[in-house]
Amino acid sequence: MTQVSRRAGVSASALRFYEARGLIEAHRTPGNQRRYPRHVLRRLAVIRAAQAVGLSLAEVSEALATVPLDRPVTREEWARLSRSWHDTLDLRIRALQQLRDGLTGCIGCGCLSQQTCPLRNAEDRLAAQGAGPRFLDAVVELEERDRAGG
Ligand code: FES
């Protein structure tokens, strides 16, 4: 276990994975050993925080692409990233609440009717829009509704 691995609480394999995904950067010694700059700890803290609130590595990667790899993430950058993730989480929570509310009406029912069951209707409506994760589709739908002001 490297010193960075110990200090960040991240396994060496996770560090290699993050590096392979371009989330962090390591330098190589003449013996081809990885050396992480000190500021990688702050970047790892951002990655861990984002994962703790349920963001995917793809989302973290996209966000961190706006922060250069050769210096620490600044307070202002962290504020910007966390603000944008807050909005994303709000949308997901609302989508989950809608799914939960639909499920509540189904408890004790058992019909699973294509015409009257809100979950079946939602599924059919989303399925008609094409294949893909239903939850993400619901989030996209909420985002579009938000942009349209409704
Ligand atoms: S199962 Fe009957 S409304 Fe959903």
Side-chain angles (χ1 to χ4, degrees):
M1 187 178 260
T2 66
Q3 191 178 3
V4 165
S5 177
R6 258 192 311 275
R7 290 193 60 189
V10 176
S11 70
S13 61
L15 290 176
R16 289 193 298 274
F17 182 70
Y18 293 156
E19 185 187 355
R21 298 281 303 260
L23 289 162
I24 61 173
E25 191 174 54
H27 305 290
R28 303 292 173 145
T29 66
N32 205 30
Q33 289 185 318
R34 288 178 173 81
R35 290 288 181 264
Y36 296 97
R38 185 177 174 75
H39 62 254
V40 80
L41 290 171
R42 189 155 170 90
R43 205 168 174 95
L44 288 168
V46 169
I47 295 168
R48 302 295 281 185
Q51 289 186 304
V53 296
L55 296 174
S56 70
L57 263 189
E59 290 169 314
V60 179
S61 179
E62 185 182 331
L64 278 179
T66 64
V67 179
L69 283 161
D70 61 354
R71 61 166 175 75
V73 177
T74 65
R75 290 180 71 90
E76 293 74 23
E77 287 164 338
W78 167 240
R80 175 176 52 82
L81 295 176
S82 56
R83 202 169 28 250
S84 72
W85 291 337
H86 186 274
D87 293 345
T88 300
L89 290 176
D90 271 350
L91 287 169
R92 289 186 183 173
I93 288 166
R94 286 174 48 203
L96 276 173
Q97 285 171 333
Q98 286 186 3
L99 291 171
R100 180 207 56 202
D101 292 347
L103 181 64
T104 300
C106 297
I107 294 173
C109 175
C111 73
L112 285 173
S113 161
Q114 283 193 356
Q115 285 74 42
T116 57
C117 175
L119 295 182
R120 287 296 308 280
N121 279 338
E123 185 177 289
D124 292 344
R125 185 167 36 81
L126 291 172
Q129 295 169 7
R134 302 278 183 263
F135 175 68
L136 291 179
D137 287 345
V139 171
V140 168
E141 189 175 310
L142 276 173
E143 287 172 341
E144 288 170 354
R145 215 180 301 157
D146 263 16
R147 273 194 292 275

